[in-house]
Amino acid sequence: KAGVTQTPRYLIKTRGQQVTLSCSPISGHRSVSWYQQTPGQGLQFLFEYFSETQRNKGNFPGRFSGRQFSNSRSEMNVSTLELGDSALYLCASSSQGWGGYTFGSGTRLTVV
Amino acid sequence: AQSVTQLDSQVPVFEEAPVELRCNYSSSVSVYLFWYVQYPNQGLQLLLKYLSGSTLVKGINGFEAEFNKSQTSFHLRKPSVHISDTAEYFCAVIEAAGNKLTFGGGTRVLVKP
């Protein structure tokens, strides 16, 4: 059974640009969540999608957005990148029944 | 809203010695509890989870944790660590009806030979 796949693994962008990160959940998982991990703030929740609907959103500015497709794959977009957006972005998927969330390996975004 | 406190940011331990990582949480509703491990440049791997039932939970790689509702704690233990256990460990909670994990700040475990 394939795990959660995040692409790309590494990304370098310039301040002011925008970026799109992709996440393919485990087959059959309909919930996809995104987290930002930084040394200073730790792991912070960005948003969660279930069946193409955003059910929950963390305390991030509107520059951070996401969506989920009918096949449960998800993308997150960050517009007008700032240096502080440099982080490891983690995607997690879950099935009903609370087996827990399975995380991908993450996308390391560096903003220069 | 929930919160999670991991009391130790770093824990050095010798190989084959026991280790305990402490986690306390705060929540006004029922929660599920998790421990995740993160190796360098990797994502999070689930070690174990408490959903209900027996308060002693066994996980992968010889880890176990005990849920204590009265003390709102979920401490992680391993009786004998290996060099390969060097990693960062995260405690997390989620409301029983929720969809958002709240993480502690992490505990970095350094196993010394």
Side-chain angles (χ1 to χ4, degrees), chain A residues 8-91:
Chain A
R9 285 296 312 274
Y10 301 92
L11 207 47
I12 300 175
K13 289 287 188 179
T14 303
R15 198 169 40 181
Q17 287 186 311
Q18 76 164 13
V19 67
T20 299
L21 312 182
S22 179
C23 173
S24 293
I26 289 174
S27 178
H29 286 192
R30 293 164 65 189
S31 168
V32 174
S33 305
W34 290 88
Y35 292 81
Q36 181 196 64
Q37 185 178 25
T38 59
Q41 300 297 317
L43 282 153
Q44 293 187 286
F45 172 78
L46 281 156
F47 24 67
E48 189 262 359
Y49 288 88
F50 183 85
S51 293
E52 301 179 68
T53 300
Q54 186 183 89
R55 296 196 297 185
N56 204 347
K57 189 178 192 307
N59 189 25
F60 279 81
R63 301 185 296 104
F64 291 82
S65 63
R67 58 179 176 168
Q68 186 181 34
F69 302 96
S70 59
N71 61 358
S72 293
R73 190 178 71 85
S74 178
E75 290 180 347
M76 68 163 280
N77 184 78
V78 188
S79 62
T80 320
L81 284 165
E82 300 177 0
L83 296 179
D85 297 333
S86 295
L88 180 66
Y89 290 88
L90 292 164
C91 168

Coordinates of all heavy atoms in Angstrom, one line a residue, chain A residues 8-91:
Chain A
P8 N 6.9 18.8 -4.8 CA 8.3 18.2 -4.8 C 8.8 18.0 -3.4 O 8.2 18.4 -2.4 CB 9.1 19.3 -5.6 CG 8.4 20.5 -5.2 CD 6.9 20.2 -5.0
R9 N 10.0 17.4 -3.2 CA 10.6 17.2 -1.9 C 11.3 18.5 -1.5 O 11.3 18.9 -0.3 CB 11.6 16.1 -1.9 CG 11.0 14.7 -1.9 CD 10.3 14.4 -0.6 NE 10.9 14.7 0.6 CZ 11.8 13.9 1.2 NH1 12.2 12.8 0.7 NH2 12.4 14.3 2.4
Y10 N 11.9 19.2 -2.4 CA 12.6 20.4 -2.1 C 12.2 21.5 -3.1 O 12.0 21.2 -4.3 CB 14.1 20.2 -2.1 CG 14.6 19.2 -1.2 CD1 14.7 17.8 -1.6 CD2 14.9 19.5 0.1 CE1 15.2 16.9 -0.7 CE2 15.3 18.5 1.0 CZ 15.5 17.2 0.6 OH 15.9 16.3 1.5
L11 N 12.2 22.7 -2.7 CA 11.8 23.8 -3.5 C 12.5 25.1 -3.0 O 12.5 25.4 -1.8 CB 10.3 24.0 -3.4 CG 9.4 24.6 -4.5 CD1 9.8 24.0 -5.8 CD2 8.0 24.4 -4.1
I12 N 13.0 25.8 -3.9 CA 13.6 27.1 -3.6 C 12.9 28.2 -4.4 O 12.8 28.1 -5.6 CB 15.1 27.2 -3.9 CG1 15.9 26.1 -3.1 CG2 15.7 28.6 -3.6 CD1 17.3 26.0 -3.4
K13 N 12.3 29.2 -3.7 CA 11.6 30.2 -4.4 C 12.1 31.6 -3.9 O 12.7 31.7 -2.9 CB 10.1 30.1 -4.1 CG 9.4 29.0 -4.7 CD 9.2 29.2 -6.2 CE 8.4 28.1 -6.8 NZ 8.2 28.4 -8.3
T14 N 11.8 32.6 -4.7 CA 12.2 34.0 -4.4 C 11.0 34.7 -3.7 O 9.9 34.4 -4.1 CB 12.6 34.7 -5.7 OG1 13.7 34.0 -6.3 CG2 13.1 36.1 -5.4
R15 N 11.4 35.5 -2.8 CA 10.3 36.4 -2.1 C 9.4 37.0 -3.2 O 9.9 37.6 -4.2 CB 11.1 37.4 -1.3 CG 10.2 38.1 -0.2 CD 11.1 38.9 0.7 NE 12.1 39.7 0.0 CZ 13.0 40.4 0.6 NH1 13.0 40.6 1.9 NH2 13.9 41.1 -0.1
G16 N 8.1 37.0 -2.9 CA 7.2 37.6 -3.8 C 6.5 36.6 -4.8 O 5.5 36.9 -5.3
Q17 N 7.2 35.5 -5.0 CA 6.7 34.5 -5.9 C 5.5 33.7 -5.2 O 5.3 33.9 -4.1 CB 7.8 33.5 -6.4 CG 8.8 34.1 -7.3 CD 9.7 33.0 -7.8 OE1 10.3 32.2 -7.1 NE2 9.9 33.0 -9.1
Q18 N 4.9 32.8 -6.0 CA 3.9 31.9 -5.4 C 4.4 30.5 -5.7 O 5.2 30.2 -6.5 CB 2.5 32.1 -6.0 CG 2.4 31.6 -7.4 CD 0.9 31.5 -7.8 OE1 0.0 32.1 -7.1 NE2 0.6 30.8 -8.8
V19 N 3.8 29.6 -4.9 CA 4.2 28.2 -4.9 C 3.0 27.3 -4.7 O 2.1 27.6 -4.0 CB 5.3 27.9 -3.9 CG1 4.8 28.0 -2.5 CG2 6.0 26.5 -4.1
T20 N 3.1 26.1 -5.4 CA 2.0 25.1 -5.2 C 2.6 23.8 -4.8 O 3.6 23.3 -5.5 CB 1.2 24.9 -6.5 OG1 0.5 26.2 -6.8 CG2 0.1 23.9 -6.3
L21 N 2.2 23.2 -3.7 CA 2.7 21.9 -3.3 C 1.6 20.9 -3.5 O 0.4 21.2 -3.3 CB 3.0 22.0 -1.8 CG 3.9 23.2 -1.4 CD1 4.2 23.1 0.1 CD2 5.2 23.3 -2.2
S22 N 2.0 19.7 -3.7 CA 1.0 18.6 -4.0 C 1.1 17.5 -3.0 O 2.2 17.2 -2.5 CB 1.3 18.1 -5.4 OG 0.3 17.1 -5.7
C23 N 0.0 16.9 -2.8 CA -0.1 15.7 -1.8 C -1.1 14.7 -2.3 O -2.2 15.0 -2.6 CB -0.6 16.2 -0.5 SG -0.9 14.9 0.7
S24 N -0.6 13.5 -2.5 CA -1.5 12.3 -2.8 C -1.6 11.4 -1.6 O -0.6 10.9 -1.1 CB -0.8 11.5 -4.0 OG -0.8 12.3 -5.1
P25 N -2.8 11.3 -1.1 CA -3.1 10.5 0.1 C -3.0 9.1 -0.1 O -3.0 8.6 -1.3 CB -4.5 11.0 0.6 CG -5.2 11.3 -0.7 CD -4.1 11.9 -1.6
I26 N -3.0 8.3 0.9 CA -3.2 6.8 0.8 C -4.5 6.5 0.2 O -5.5 7.2 0.4 CB -3.1 6.2 2.2 CG1 -1.7 6.3 2.8 CG2 -3.5 4.8 2.2 CD1 -1.5 5.9 4.2
S27 N -4.5 5.5 -0.7 CA -5.7 5.2 -1.4 C -6.8 4.9 -0.5 O -6.7 4.1 0.5 CB -5.4 3.9 -2.3 OG -6.6 3.5 -3.0
G28 N -8.0 5.5 -0.7 CA -9.1 5.3 0.2 C -9.2 6.3 1.3 O -10.3 6.4 1.9
H29 N -8.2 7.0 1.6 CA -8.3 8.1 2.6 C -8.9 9.3 2.0 O -8.4 9.8 1.0 CB -6.9 8.4 3.1 CG -6.3 7.4 4.0 ND1 -5.2 7.7 4.8 CD2 -6.7 6.2 4.3 CE1 -4.9 6.6 5.5 NE2 -5.8 5.7 5.2
R30 N -9.9 9.9 2.7 CA -10.6 11.0 2.1 C -10.3 12.3 2.8 O -10.7 13.4 2.4 CB -12.1 10.8 2.1 CG -12.5 9.6 1.2 CD -13.9 9.1 1.5 NE -14.9 10.1 1.3 CZ -16.2 9.9 1.6 NH1 -16.6 8.8 2.3 NH2 -17.1 10.9 1.4
S31 N -9.6 12.2 4.0 CA -9.2 13.4 4.7 C -7.8 13.7 4.5 O -6.9 12.8 4.6 CB -9.5 13.2 6.2 OG -8.9 14.2 7.0
V32 N -7.5 14.9 4.1 CA -6.1 15.4 3.9 C -5.9 16.7 4.7 O -6.7 17.6 4.7 CB -5.8 15.7 2.4 CG1 -4.4 16.3 2.3 CG2 -5.9 14.4 1.6
S33 N -4.8 16.7 5.5 CA -4.5 17.9 6.3 C -3.1 18.4 5.9 O -2.3 17.6 5.5 CB -4.4 17.5 7.8 OG -5.7 16.9 8.2
W34 N -2.9 19.6 6.2 CA -1.6 20.2 5.9 C -1.1 20.9 7.2 O -1.8 21.5 8.0 CB -1.7 21.3 4.8 CG -1.9 20.8 3.5 CD1 -3.1 20.5 2.9 CD2 -0.9 20.4 2.5 NE1 -3.0 20.0 1.6 CE2 -1.6 20.0 1.3 CE3 0.4 20.5 2.4 CZ2 -1.0 19.6 0.2 CZ3 1.1 20.1 1.3 CH2 0.4 19.7 0.2
Y35 N 0.3 20.8 7.4 CA 0.9 21.3 8.6 C 2.2 22.0 8.1 O 2.9 21.6 7.2 CB 1.3 20.3 9.6 CG 0.0 19.7 10.3 CD1 -0.7 18.6 9.6 CD2 -0.4 20.1 11.5 CE1 -1.8 18.1 10.2 CE2 -1.5 19.6 12.1 CZ -2.2 18.6 11.4 OH -3.4 18.0 12.0
Q36 N 2.5 23.1 8.8 CA 3.8 23.8 8.6 C 4.7 23.5 9.8 O 4.2 23.6 11.0 CB 3.5 25.3 8.5 CG 4.8 26.1 8.2 CD 4.6 27.6 8.5 OE1 4.4 28.0 9.6 NE2 4.7 28.4 7.5
Q37 N 5.9 23.2 9.5 CA 6.9 22.9 10.6 C 8.1 23.9 10.5 O 8.8 23.9 9.4 CB 7.4 21.5 10.6 CG 8.3 21.1 11.8 CD 8.7 19.7 11.8 OE1 8.8 19.0 10.8 NE2 9.0 19.2 13.0
T38 N 8.3 24.7 11.5 CA 9.5 25.6 11.5 C 10.2 25.4 12.9 O 9.5 25.0 13.9 CB 9.0 27.0 11.4 OG1 8.1 27.4 12.5 CG2 8.4 27.3 10.1
P39 N 11.4 25.7 13.0 CA 12.2 25.6 14.2 C 11.6 26.5 15.3 O 11.5 26.1 16.5 CB 13.6 26.0 13.9 CG 13.7 25.8 12.4 CD 12.3 26.1 11.8
G40 N 11.1 27.6 14.9 CA 10.6 28.6 15.9 C 9.1 28.3 16.4 O 8.8 28.4 17.6
Q41 N 8.3 27.9 15.5 CA 6.9 27.7 15.8 C 6.4 26.3 15.9 O 5.3 26.0 16.4 CB 6.0 28.4 14.8 CG 6.2 29.9 14.6 CD 5.9 30.6 15.9 OE1 4.8 30.3 16.5 NE2 6.7 31.6 16.3
G42 N 7.3 25.4 15.6 CA 7.0 23.9 15.7 C 6.0 23.5 14.6 O 6.0 24.1 13.5
L43 N 5.1 22.6 14.9 CA 4.2 22.1 14.0 C 2.8 22.8 14.1 O 2.2 22.8 15.2 CB 3.9 20.6 14.2 CG 5.0 19.7 13.7 CD1 5.1 18.4 14.5 CD2 4.7 19.3 12.2
Q44 N 2.4 23.5 13.1 CA 1.2 24.2 13.1 C 0.2 23.8 12.0 O 0.6 23.6 10.9 CB 1.5 25.7 13.0 CG 2.3 26.3 14.1 CD 2.4 27.8 14.0 OE1 3.1 28.3 13.2 NE2 1.6 28.5 14.8
F45 N -1.0 23.7 12.4 CA -2.1 23.2 11.5 C -2.4 24.3 10.5 O -2.6 25.5 10.9 CB -3.3 22.8 12.3 CG -4.5 22.5 11.6 CD1 -4.7 21.3 10.9 CD2 -5.6 23.5 11.5 CE1 -5.9 21.0 10.2 CE2 -6.7 23.2 10.8 CZ -6.9 22.0 10.1
L46 N -2.5 23.9 9.2 CA -2.9 24.9 8.2 C -4.3 24.7 7.8 O -5.1 25.7 8.0 CB -2.0 24.7 6.9 CG -0.6 25.3 7.0 CD1 0.3 24.6 6.0 CD2 -0.7 26.8 6.6
F47 N -4.7 23.6 7.3 CA -6.1 23.3 7.0 C -6.3 21.8 6.8 O -5.4 21.0 6.6 CB -6.6 24.1 5.7 CG -5.6 24.5 4.8 CD1 -4.9 23.6 4.0 CD2 -5.3 25.8 4.6 CE1 -3.9 24.0 3.1 CE2 -4.4 26.3 3.7 CZ -3.6 25.3 2.9
E48 N -7.6 21.4 6.8 CA -8.0 20.0 6.6 C -9.1 20.0 5.6 O -10.1 20.8 5.6 CB -8.4 19.4 7.9 CG -8.7 17.9 7.8 CD -10.1 17.5 7.6 OE1 -11.0 18.4 7.6 OE2 -10.4 16.3 7.6
Y49 N -9.1 19.0 4.6 CA -10.1 18.8 3.6 C -10.6 17.4 3.7 O -9.9 16.5 4.0 CB -9.5 19.0 2.2 CG -9.2 20.5 1.9 CD1 -8.0 21.0 2.3 CD2 -10.1 21.3 1.3 CE1 -7.7 22.3 2.0 CE2 -9.9 22.6 1.0 CZ -8.6 23.1 1.4 OH -8.4 24.4 1.1
F50 N -11.9 17.3 3.5 CA -12.6 16.0 3.4 C -13.6 16.1 2.3 O -14.5 17.0 2.3 CB -13.3 15.7 4.7 CG -14.0 14.4 4.8 CD1 -13.2 13.3 5.1 CD2 -15.3 14.3 4.5 CE1 -13.9 12.0 5.1 CE2 -15.9 13.0 4.5 CZ -15.2 11.9 4.8
S51 N -13.5 15.2 1.3 CA -14.4 15.1 0.2 C -14.5 16.5 -0.5 O -15.6 17.0 -0.7 CB -15.8 14.6 0.6 OG -15.7 13.2 1.0
E52 N -13.4 17.1 -0.7 CA -13.3 18.4 -1.5 C -13.8 19.6 -0.7 O -13.8 20.7 -1.3 CB -14.1 18.3 -2.8 CG -13.6 17.2 -3.7 CD -14.4 17.1 -5.0 OE1 -14.2 18.0 -5.8 OE2 -15.1 16.1 -5.2
T53 N -14.1 19.4 0.6 CA -14.6 20.5 1.4 C -13.6 20.8 2.5 O -13.1 19.9 3.2 CB -15.9 20.2 2.0 OG1 -16.9 19.9 1.0 CG2 -16.4 21.3 2.9
Q54 N -13.3 22.1 2.6 CA -12.4 22.5 3.7 C -13.2 22.5 5.0 O -14.2 23.3 5.2 CB -11.8 23.9 3.5 CG -10.8 24.3 4.5 CD -10.3 25.7 4.3 OE1 -10.8 26.7 4.8 NE2 -9.2 25.8 3.6
R55 N -12.8 21.7 6.0 CA -13.6 21.6 7.2 C -13.0 22.4 8.3 O -13.7 22.7 9.3 CB -13.7 20.1 7.7 CG -14.4 19.2 6.7 CD -14.8 17.9 7.3 NE -13.7 17.1 7.8 CZ -13.8 15.9 8.2 NH1 -15.0 15.3 8.4 NH2 -12.7 15.2 8.6
N56 N -11.7 22.7 8.2 CA -11.1 23.4 9.3 C -9.9 24.2 8.8 O -9.2 23.7 7.8 CB -10.6 22.4 10.4 CG -10.4 23.0 11.8 OD1 -10.4 24.2 11.9 ND2 -10.3 22.2 12.8
K57 N -9.6 25.3 9.4 CA -8.5 26.1 8.9 C -7.8 26.7 10.1 O -8.4 27.1 11.1 CB -9.1 27.3 8.1 CG -8.0 28.1 7.4 CD -8.6 29.2 6.5 CE -7.7 29.9 5.6 NZ -6.4 30.4 6.2
G58 N -6.4 26.7 10.0 CA -5.6 27.2 11.1 C -5.5 28.7 11.0 O -6.1 29.4 10.1
N59 N -4.7 29.3 11.9 CA -4.5 30.7 12.0 C -3.4 31.2 11.1 O -2.3 31.6 11.6 CB -4.3 31.1 13.4 CG -4.3 32.6 13.6 OD1 -4.9 33.3 12.9 ND2 -3.7 33.1 14.7
F60 N -3.6 31.1 9.8 CA -2.6 31.6 8.8 C -3.3 32.6 7.9 O -4.5 32.7 7.7 CB -2.1 30.4 8.0 CG -1.1 29.6 8.6 CD1 -1.4 28.6 9.5 CD2 0.3 29.8 8.3 CE1 -0.4 27.8 10.2 CE2 1.2 29.0 8.9 CZ 0.9 28.0 9.9
P61 N -2.4 33.5 7.4 CA -3.0 34.6 6.5 C -3.6 34.0 5.2 O -3.3 32.8 4.9 CB -1.8 35.5 6.2 CG -0.6 34.7 6.5 CD -1.0 33.7 7.6
G62 N -4.4 34.8 4.6 CA -5.1 34.4 3.4 C -4.2 34.0 2.2 O -4.6 33.4 1.2
R63 N -2.9 34.3 2.3 CA -1.9 33.9 1.3 C -1.8 32.4 1.2 O -1.4 31.9 0.2 CB -0.5 34.5 1.6 CG -0.5 36.0 1.7 CD 1.0 36.5 1.9 NE 1.6 36.1 3.1 CZ 2.5 35.1 3.2 NH1 2.9 34.5 2.1 NH2 3.0 34.8 4.4
F64 N -2.2 31.7 2.3 CA -2.2 30.3 2.3 C -3.5 29.7 1.9 O -4.5 30.1 2.6 CB -1.8 29.8 3.7 CG -0.4 30.1 4.1 CD1 0.0 31.3 4.5 CD2 0.6 29.1 4.0 CE1 1.3 31.6 4.9 CE2 1.9 29.4 4.3 CZ 2.3 30.6 4.8
S65 N -3.6 28.9 0.9 CA -4.9 28.4 0.5 C -4.6 26.9 0.0 O -3.5 26.5 -0.2 CB -5.5 29.2 -0.7 OG -4.6 29.1 -1.8
G66 N -5.7 26.2 -0.1 CA -5.6 24.8 -0.5 C -6.9 24.4 -1.2 O -7.8 25.1 -1.3
R67 N -6.8 23.2 -1.7 CA -8.0 22.6 -2.3 C -7.8 21.1 -2.4 O -6.7 20.6 -2.3 CB -8.2 23.1 -3.7 CG -7.1 23.0 -4.7 CD -7.5 23.5 -6.1 NE -6.4 23.4 -7.1 CZ -6.6 23.7 -8.4 NH1 -7.8 24.0 -8.8 NH2 -5.6 23.6 -9.2
Q68 N -8.9 20.4 -2.6 CA -8.8 18.9 -2.7 C -9.7 18.5 -3.9 O -10.7 19.1 -4.2 CB -9.4 18.3 -1.4 CG -9.2 16.7 -1.5 CD -9.8 16.1 -0.2 OE1 -10.8 16.5 0.3 NE2 -9.2 15.0 0.2
F69 N -9.1 17.6 -4.6 CA -9.8 17.1 -5.9 C -10.7 15.9 -5.6 O -10.6 15.3 -4.5 CB -8.7 16.8 -6.9 CG -7.9 18.0 -7.2 CD1 -6.7 18.2 -6.6 CD2 -8.3 19.0 -8.1 CE1 -5.8 19.3 -6.9 CE2 -7.5 20.1 -8.4 CZ -6.3 20.2 -7.8
S70 N -11.4 15.5 -6.6 CA -12.4 14.4 -6.4 C -11.7 13.1 -6.1 O -12.2 12.2 -5.6 CB -13.3 14.3 -7.6 OG -12.5 14.1 -8.8
N71 N -10.4 13.0 -6.5 CA -9.7 11.8 -6.2 C -8.9 11.8 -4.9 O -8.0 11.0 -4.6 CB -8.7 11.5 -7.4 CG -7.6 12.6 -7.5 OD1 -7.7 13.6 -6.8 ND2 -6.7 12.4 -8.5
S72 N -9.2 12.9 -4.1 CA -8.7 13.1 -2.8 C -7.3 13.7 -2.8 O -6.8 14.2 -1.7 CB -8.7 11.9 -1.9 OG -10.0 11.5 -1.6
R73 N -6.7 13.8 -3.9 CA -5.4 14.5 -4.0 C -5.6 16.0 -3.6 O -6.7 16.6 -3.8 CB -4.8 14.5 -5.4 CG -3.4 15.0 -5.5 CD -2.8 14.8 -6.9 NE -3.4 15.7 -7.8 CZ -3.0 17.0 -8.0 NH1 -2.0 17.4 -7.4 NH2 -3.6 17.7 -8.9
S74 N -4.6 16.6 -2.9 CA -4.7 17.9 -2.5 C -3.5 18.8 -2.9 O -2.4 18.3 -3.1 CB -4.9 17.9 -0.9 OG -4.9 19.2 -0.4
E75 N -3.8 20.0 -3.0 CA -2.7 21.0 -3.3 C -2.8 22.1 -2.3 O -4.0 22.5 -1.8 CB -2.8 21.6 -4.7 CG -2.5 20.6 -5.8 CD -2.6 21.3 -7.2 OE1 -3.2 22.4 -7.3 OE2 -2.1 20.7 -8.1
M76 N -1.7 22.7 -1.9 CA -1.8 23.9 -1.2 C -0.9 25.0 -1.9 O 0.0 24.7 -2.6 CB -1.3 23.8 0.3 CG 0.2 23.5 0.5 SD 0.7 23.9 2.2 CE 0.9 25.6 2.1
N77 N -1.4 26.2 -1.8 CA -0.7 27.3 -2.6 C -0.4 28.4 -1.6 O -1.1 28.7 -0.6 CB -1.7 27.8 -3.6 CG -1.1 28.9 -4.4 OD1 -0.3 28.7 -5.4 ND2 -1.4 30.2 -4.1
V78 N 0.8 28.9 -1.8 CA 1.2 30.1 -1.0 C 1.5 31.2 -2.0 O 2.4 31.0 -2.8 CB 2.4 29.8 -0.1 CG1 2.6 31.0 0.9 CG2 2.2 28.6 0.7
S79 N 0.9 32.3 -1.9 CA 1.1 33.4 -2.8 C 2.0 34.5 -2.1 O 2.1 34.5 -0.8 CB -0.2 34.1 -3.2 OG -0.9 34.6 -2.1
T80 N 2.6 35.3 -2.9 CA 3.4 36.4 -2.3 C 4.3 35.9 -1.2 O 4.2 36.3 0.0 CB 2.6 37.6 -1.8 OG1 1.5 37.8 -2.7 CG2 3.4 38.9 -1.8
L81 N 5.2 35.0 -1.5 CA 6.0 34.4 -0.5 C 6.9 35.4 0.2 O 7.4 36.4 -0.3 CB 7.0 33.4 -1.2 CG 6.3 32.1 -1.7 CD1 7.2 31.3 -2.6 CD2 6.0 31.2 -0.4
E82 N 7.0 35.1 1.5 CA 7.8 35.8 2.4 C 8.9 34.9 3.0 O 8.8 33.7 3.0 CB 7.0 36.4 3.6 CG 5.9 37.3 3.2 CD 5.0 37.8 4.3 OE1 5.3 37.4 5.5 OE2 4.0 38.5 4.1
L83 N 10.0 35.5 3.5 CA 11.1 34.7 4.0 C 10.6 33.8 5.1 O 11.1 32.7 5.2 CB 12.2 35.7 4.5 CG 12.9 36.6 3.5 CD1 14.0 37.4 4.2 CD2 13.6 35.7 2.4
G84 N 9.7 34.3 5.9 CA 9.2 33.5 7.0 C 8.4 32.3 6.6 O 8.0 31.5 7.5
D85 N 8.1 32.2 5.3 CA 7.3 31.0 4.9 C 8.3 29.8 4.6 O 7.8 28.7 4.4 CB 6.6 31.3 3.5 CG 5.6 32.4 3.7 OD1 5.0 32.6 4.8 OD2 5.3 33.1 2.7
S86 N 9.6 30.0 4.8 CA 10.5 28.9 4.7 C 10.2 27.9 5.8 O 10.2 28.3 7.0 CB 11.9 29.4 4.8 OG 12.3 30.2 3.8
A87 N 9.9 26.7 5.4 CA 9.5 25.7 6.4 C 9.4 24.3 5.7 O 9.5 24.2 4.5 CB 8.1 26.0 6.9
L88 N 9.2 23.3 6.5 CA 8.8 22.0 6.0 C 7.3 21.9 6.0 O 6.7 22.1 7.1 CB 9.4 20.9 6.9 CG 9.1 19.4 6.5 CD1 9.8 19.1 5.1 CD2 9.6 18.5 7.6
Y89 N 6.7 21.6 4.9 CA 5.3 21.5 4.8 C 4.9 20.0 4.7 O 5.3 19.3 3.8 CB 4.7 22.3 3.6 CG 4.9 23.8 3.8 CD1 6.0 24.4 3.5 CD2 3.8 24.5 4.4 CE1 6.2 25.8 3.7 CE2 4.0 25.9 4.7 CZ 5.1 26.5 4.3 OH 5.3 27.8 4.6
L90 N 4.1 19.6 5.7 CA 3.7 18.2 5.8 C 2.3 18.0 5.5 O 1.4 18.8 5.9 CB 4.0 17.7 7.2 CG 5.5 17.6 7.6 CD1 5.6 17.5 9.1 CD2 6.2 16.5 6.9
C91 N 2.0 17.0 4.8 CA 0.7 16.6 4.4 C 0.4 15.3 5.2 O 1.3 14.4 5.3 CB 0.5 16.4 2.9 SG -0.9 15.6 2.4

